[in-house]
Every structure is written in C-alpha cells, then in structure tokens.
C-alpha cells in the first residue's frame, strides 16, 4: 500500500554531545522491501496509494494532537490489511531546530507519546500494565545508569517519561 524512506536529521547548530551519542534524532534505516510495522511508521517520508483512505473518515485523529497520530493511522491501515515497506534509497532530511535538541523537549515529547499510546484501539491494558510494573524498576535503575553517561541516562529517562505518560493519562 505504500513505502517509507529514511529520515536523516539536519541540524542548524551542532547538537549537544549527549544527543549525538544517544542518536535521539536518528531513525533506523531498513533494507528496501522490508515490511514496516506500525511502531516504526511515520509520515515524515512516506508515499502511499490514495485508495487506502477510502472508507476512512478521519485519517489523522485530532485527539492525538501533535504526537503519535501517524502511528495510529498506520496501525489502523495495517489492521485493514495494508502493507507498507521500506525504501532505503528514498532519503529525506528533516530540519531539527535547536529548541528540539534539549532534554526538556525530548522528555515532554515522551510524556505526550506515552499518554497518546493509551488512545490506540488495541493493546491498551498490556501497555498500561507494562508501565505500572516498569516505572518503579526504571526509577530505581536511574542512579546506576547515570554512571554510564548522559546519553544512556537520557535514553532511560525518555523511556521512563513514556511509561509515566501512560499512567498519568489513566489518571487524567
């Protein structure tokens, strides 16, 4: 039904070392023809058949705001049987402004994505149970992870915020 190409970051200014080491703005590049799952999907570099929108009243649901609406779209399309593949030769560059290269931005984004993950049609209970179990474990591990470096600490703080976003969404 469509193909997704790689998205490479383009920075106006050199990002902090922790951001480079942590590869927070890099997305995996899959071999051409490999099937893409909903979790790896994004609208930043995609081409799809117009017909897949037939019978879809709202391709991008407004309740997601500015986070995860594309993942929801691809998940719903895949549930209808549409297949999306990678095309590694179709590279685009995404401008990453300096204000996105901050810890605060990445952590707020993770909270939003975590909260939005409970809006998906399937797997809500599993995602919520995972969060309830994982949050204390991640919180206890953070002091030890910090020894490995800022980029590792940020990686796990982002995961923790995603999980916390799920719990906070449940609490409204």
């Amino acid at each position: 039904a469509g193909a997704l190409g790689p998205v490479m970051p383009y920075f106006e200014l050199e990002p902090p070392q922790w951001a480079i080491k942590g590869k927070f703005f890099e997305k995996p590049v899959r071999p051409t023809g490999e099937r893409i799952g909903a979790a790896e999907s994004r609208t930043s570099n995609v081409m799809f058949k117009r017909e897949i929108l037939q019978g879809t009243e709202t391709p991008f649901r407004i309740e997601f705001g500015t986070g995860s609406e594309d993942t929801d779209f691809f998940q719903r399309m895949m549930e209808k049987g549409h297949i999306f593949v990678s095309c590694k030769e179709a590279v685009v560059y995404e401008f990453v402004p300096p204000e996105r290269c901050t810890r605060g931005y990445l952590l707020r984004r993770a909270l939003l994505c975590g909260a939005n993950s409970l809006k998906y049609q399937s797997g809500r209970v599993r995602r919520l149970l995972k969060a309830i179990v994982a949050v204390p474990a991640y919180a206890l591990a953070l002091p030890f992870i910090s020894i490995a470096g800022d980029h590792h600490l940020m990686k796990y703080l982002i995961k923790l915020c995603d999980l916390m976003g799920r719990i906070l969404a449940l609490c409204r």
Side-chain angles (χ1 to χ4, degrees):
L4 289 84
V7 179
M8 302 296 183
Y10 172 78
F11 300 102
E12 179 181 355
L13 301 172
E14 183 75 16
Q17 279 304 114
W18 59 263
I20 294 170
K21 285 182 180 178
K23 301 180 181 183
F24 296 110
F25 300 98
E26 296 181 26
K27 296 173 178 76
V29 177
R30 306 279 188 227
T32 296
E34 185 175 298
R35 196 171 181 164
I36 300 290
E40 299 95 33
S41 62
R42 60 194 170 278
T43 53
S44 52
N45 186 12
V46 64
M47 178 176 67
F48 59 81
K49 294 178 182 179
R50 182 174 47 186
E51 303 89 68
I52 71 170
L53 297 177
Q54 291 176 344
T56 303
E57 187 175 313
T58 308
F60 301 100
R61 299 186 313 161
I62 194 152
E63 60 262 30
F64 280 90
T66 60
S68 306
E69 72 281 2
D70 48 357
T71 303
D72 171 66
F73 166 76
F74 283 104
Q75 183 171 328
R76 288 183 290 124
M77 293 299 110
M78 290 174 190
E79 286 170 359
K80 290 182 177 183
H82 298 296
I83 296 171
F84 298 89
V85 296
S86 173
C87 180
K88 76 174 188 174
E89 294 79 13
V91 178
V92 299
Y93 292 88
E94 176 181 34
F95 175 71
V96 182
E99 56 270 14
R100 287 192 180 179
C101 296
T102 66
R103 297 172 198 274
Y105 174 84
L106 292 173
L107 297 177
R108 284 188 304 274
R109 185 83 180 157
L111 278 168
L112 174 66
C113 289
N116 280 343
S117 74
L118 293 186
K119 296 175 185 174
Y120 298 141
Q121 297 298 321
S122 60
R124 288 184 195 137
V125 173
R126 180 183 49 80
R127 280 191 292 279
L128 189 55
L129 289 175
K130 178 181 177 183
I132 291 168
V133 171
V135 163
Y138 276 87
L140 290 172
L142 286 178
F144 303 101
I145 292 168
S146 67
I147 296 168
D150 279 353
H151 61 292
H152 289 296
L153 179 61
M154 269 306 291
K155 179 180 174 181
Y156 285 92
L157 280 171
I158 288 170
K159 289 180 181 188
L160 179 61
C161 283
D162 181 90
L163 295 163
M164 285 296 300
R166 298 174 194 185
I167 294 169
L168 292 172
L170 180 69
C171 299
R172 298 185 197 265

